[in-house]
Amino acid sequence: MSRTNIAFCASTADTAQEALVALNARYGSVPQDEADVIVALGGDGFMLQTLHATQHLVAPVYGMNRGTVGFLMNSYHEDDLGDRLAEAMEEVINPLEMRAITAAGETHEALAINEVSLLRAGPQAAKLRIYVDGKLRLDELVCDGALVATPAGSTAYNYSAHGPIIPIGSDVLALTAMSAFRPRRWRGALLPKRAEVRIEVRDHLKRPVMADADSRSVRDVVSVEIKSASDVEHRILFDPGHGLEERLIREQFV
């Protein structure tokens, strides 16, 4: 596929801004709504921001790493960008949909490409009640928090919390606890992608909890519903041999 019309965007980091100037001068840039491809310059956080900001557009996003880890990014090289874009392989991922209800009765909705997490917001551990597809699965989880992660996000916060790495293409979500105190040995669960998870906060006044969807936070939540947004697709481009599937496998042998 020819991707001749490029829209460049960059994080505020100095290295990303320098790359933006160099690439604009070399290849030119068009508005995002006229682009065949959007090239994001930055780290994984900026890639998530770009995917969210451009989800209404047809153009896929190709990231080049001007950040730190760069799990969702390709390596940065200024040469032969047109050839790299023409040869790039596409991955399509569905985000999670979060619907959070606060103690004040407000409803907040957001999409998360990596994970939706619930985190204690006070000195005491959170107490959470977990339902899957309307069925009570865990009456009380005493913990620092819990999260639901997509395969694409399984190597991020989920992996740091000792959750499993999930292969891309798996119709599976990870439900992972953070510092679970009770049940002592509960390590989480793997759920079908179609599953709908509802997490209720017990004793929310004494043990406040915040919810977060890809760094968009809601405080004082009393319940959070999480499910895969199958009607939303994010298209990400990777250099051949360096797609998400290869990265997920490689991450497990580091």
Side-chain angles (χ1 to χ4, degrees):
M1 173 182 175
S2 175
R3 299 186 173 102
T4 55
N5 295 319
I6 305 172
F8 291 102
C9 58
S11 73
T12 57
D14 290 343
T15 54
Q17 289 296 311
E18 291 167 3
L20 178 65
V21 172
L23 292 170
N24 271 331
R26 187 162 184 175
Y27 296 100
S29 185
V30 301
Q32 290 184 350
D33 59 0
E34 298 176 12
D36 297 314
V37 61
I38 296 166
V39 174
L41 306 166
D44 287 334
F46 183 70
M47 183 61 157
L48 293 178
Q49 292 177 29
T50 302
L51 290 170
H52 284 299
T54 62
Q55 69 184 41
H56 63 292
L57 300 176
V58 175
V61 179
Y62 178 91
M64 286 205 285
N65 191 21
R66 295 284 79 192
T68 50
V69 177
F71 183 79
L72 296 173
M73 315 300 279
N74 300 284
S75 59
Y76 179 77
H77 301 293
E78 293 181 16
D79 296 335
D80 303 320
L81 180 58
D83 292 339
R84 292 177 71 184
L85 294 176
E87 296 171 2
M89 308 299 291
E90 183 175 290
E91 302 272 8
V92 178
I93 59 176
N94 302 114
L96 296 171
E97 178 182 320
M98 177 187 79
R99 184 173 184 269
I101 307 297
T102 69
E106 299 172 336
T107 299
H108 297 264
E109 296 181 349
L111 297 176
I113 295 166
N114 273 358
E115 75 278 317
V116 172
S117 56
L118 282 79
L119 305 164
R120 76 175 192 181
Q124 292 184 295
K127 288 187 176 182
L128 307 176
R129 179 183 288 123
I130 300 175
Y131 295 83
V132 179
D133 292 330
K135 184 174 183 178
L136 179 63
R137 292 295 184 179
L138 195 56
D139 186 57
E140 185 174 274
L141 172 63
V142 184
C143 57
D144 280 350
L147 61 83
V148 176
T150 66
S154 65
T155 62
Y157 199 179
N158 172 71
Y159 192 41
S160 298
H162 306 291
I165 291 179
I166 306 172
I168 288 295
S170 300
D171 289 333
V172 172
L173 303 174
L175 172 58
T176 300
M178 289 167 273
S179 302
F181 180 68
R182 290 285 188 275
R184 179 74 74 178
R185 298 185 182 277
W186 194 71
R187 297 298 300 273
L190 291 174
L191 304 175
K193 184 179 179 180
R194 65 180 182 278
E196 297 186 12
V197 180
R198 177 181 173 86
I199 302 178
E200 297 179 350
V201 179
R202 303 186 62 170
D203 201 4
H204 68 90
L205 293 176
K206 182 179 180 181
R207 301 170 184 268
V209 169
M210 62 175 286
D212 185 280
D214 282 355
S215 299
R216 285 163 295 175
S217 301
V218 182
R219 302 192 68 84
D220 296 322
V221 298
V222 294
S223 69
V224 178
E225 296 174 0
I226 306 161
K227 64 180 181 179
S228 180
S230 58
D231 59 330
V232 180
E233 294 184 341
H234 293 290
R235 300 166 60 207
I236 311 177
L237 298 176
F238 293 98
D239 293 330
H242 298 278
L244 280 179
E245 183 173 299
E246 168 61 23
R247 290 164 191 244
L248 288 168
I249 294 173
R250 189 174 61 209
E251 195 75 13
Q252 298 174 80
F253 292 90
V254 173

